Amino acid sequence: MRNILLAVTAAAGLVGCVGGIDMPSTPPAPPPDGVGGGGTGPAATEARKLFEDNVYPIIDGKCIGCHSSAGPVGNITGFVAPSKTDGYVTAVGYQALIGDWTPTGAPILLKVAAGHNGTSYTDDEKSKISAWLTKELDARAGGTTTTPPGGESPAEATVRLTKEWSGCMTLANFQTANMKAWGNMRADNSACKTCHVVGEFGNIASDTDNPFFTVISTNKYYMAQYFTVDLTGGVATAKVIINTRSFTGVGQALAPHTEHPRFNLTGSTGLAALQKFYDLTVAAKTAGTCGPPTLMN
C-alpha cells in the first residue's frame, strides 16, 4: 500500500496531457459558490482578503518559480497567478492545494512541512496560512467564528468526518457502484484515465478498481476530489457530501482550469457511479457497520 501511495505522489509531477496553461485574456471567473460546500457572505469576503493580503505574497515569493499559472514547470499544478487580482480564484480552484481546508489537511501547508523542494515557511507564514484556512472554514460554516465550550470547530468537525468516512468506504461498494466508470469518462476526445490513471495532477480516475479505491480511501488529498464536508448549516449539521464543486469547475474549464478538456458532470456515468458509491457509504455509516479510519496521512 505504501508503494502505491509513493507512486501516486510521484505521478503528480509528470508531464501532462493538455500542454501548457495559458492565462485567459479576461479576468478568471470565480468558482461556483454554494456548490459542494463553497462559502458565501461576509466571512467569505474576509477569507479572500486574508488570502490576498497575507497568503498570496508568500506563495508568490516561494512557489511561483515552479507553479506559475502562466506556465508551471513540468506542467505541474499552476496554482500561483502572476497577479494578485487573479490569485485567489486560481489558488482555490486547485483541490490539490487546499485539500479539506484544514491546517492539518491542506497541502499548501503539509507539502512544505514534509520538505517539498527544499522550501520552508517561517512561523509567521504558517500562522497566516492557517488563519486564512480557518476563515475559509468559518465561511463554509455559515460565518461561525467561535466554538462553543466543549464543541467542535469547523476544522475539527471536518477532520473527524473525513476520517470516519474513510472507514465507511469499502471495496465491495466501490465495485458495486462501478466507480471505475470514471476512468472511461470522456473529456472532449480523451478518456479521464489518459491523464489521471495513477493520480497525475492531484486526481485519480482509473478503469480498474485498484489502486483507484486504495488511493481515495487512504489518501485524504485524493478523497477530497470526490468527497467534501458540507458546513453550510454549521458544525452541528456538518456532513460529507459529493464534491460536485471540484468536478464542475474542471469540467466547465473554469479558472484556473481553462486548458482542461470539457465534460458535462450532470448525467455522466462518473457522477452516477459516485452517487451510488456515496449512497452505499452513507448506508454503511447509518447501519453502524463502518470499520476504523483508513487514512494514512
Side-chain angles (χ1 to χ4, degrees):
M1 184 180 294
R2 180 174 180 273
N3 289 337
I4 291 174
L5 295 181
L6 288 175
V8 169
T9 301
L14 294 177
V15 175
C17 302
V18 296
I21 298 177
D22 297 324
M23 290 300 291
S25 58
T26 58
D33 287 329
V35 179
T40 57
T45 301
E46 292 177 41
R48 179 166 185 156
K49 189 174 190 309
L50 282 177
F51 175 87
E52 291 179 342
D53 291 350
N54 297 337
V55 178
Y56 178 79
I58 297 171
I59 62 175
D60 182 44
K62 294 179 181 289
C63 308
I64 198 168
C66 293
H67 295 279
S68 171
S69 63
V73 175
N75 207 23
I76 54 182
T77 49
F79 58 80
V80 187
S83 72
K84 186 170 74 171
T85 301
D86 301 335
Y88 181 78
V89 170
T90 300
V92 302
Y94 278 107
Q95 199 75 46
L97 180 74
I98 49 89
D100 63 7
W101 295 101
T102 69
T104 59
I108 187 175
L109 280 174
L110 299 181
K111 280 189 175 292
V112 170
H116 175 66
N117 208 29
T119 305
S120 63
Y121 292 138
T122 66
D123 288 342
D124 179 62
E125 289 169 337
K126 293 175 187 175
S127 178
K128 288 177 177 177
I129 295 172
S130 294
W132 165 59
L133 292 169
T134 298
K135 183 58 67 175
E136 290 283 359
L137 284 169
D138 289 343
R140 285 158 174 74
T144 302
T145 57
T146 59
T147 301
E152 286 183 306
S153 69
E156 290 168 338
T158 297
V159 171
R160 174 180 59 81
L161 290 168
T162 301
K163 286 181 178 179
E164 290 174 358
W165 190 256
S166 72
C168 294
M169 292 191 291
T170 69
L171 177 59
N173 286 340
F174 187 89
Q175 293 170 324
T176 298
N178 192 35
M179 278 289 287
K180 63 185 181 182
W182 279 97
N184 289 319
M185 266 189 60
R186 311 290 296 185
D188 289 344
N189 294 319
S190 298
C192 294
K193 65 184 179 183
T194 305
C195 294
H196 301 286
V197 68
V198 292
E200 301 92 325
F201 310 102
N203 184 44
I204 183 167
S206 174
D207 60 348
T208 58
D209 294 317
N210 263 316
F212 192 178
F213 172 76
T214 299
V215 170
I216 70 166
S217 63
T218 61
N219 189 314
K220 61 189 172 187
Y221 308 135
Y222 286 87
M223 185 194 297
Q225 291 283 357
Y226 290 90
F227 301 108
T228 188
V229 173
D230 181 10
L231 292 160
T232 53
V235 170
T237 59
K239 63 180 180 179
V240 174
I241 60 173
I242 294 172
N243 193 355
T244 52
R245 179 186 178 93
S246 172
F247 287 113
T248 297
V250 174
Q252 295 179 5
L254 299 178
H257 306 287
T258 55
E259 289 291 303
H260 193 282
R262 292 177 179 266
F263 64 90
N264 188 4
L265 181 65
T266 302
S268 67
T269 56
L271 182 58
L274 184 55
Q275 184 66 59
K276 178 72 171 178
F277 185 42
Y278 175 81
D279 292 342
L280 290 170
T281 306
V282 169
K285 184 175 176 64
T286 302
T289 59
C290 300
T294 57
L295 292 178
M296 296 177 63
N297 56 6

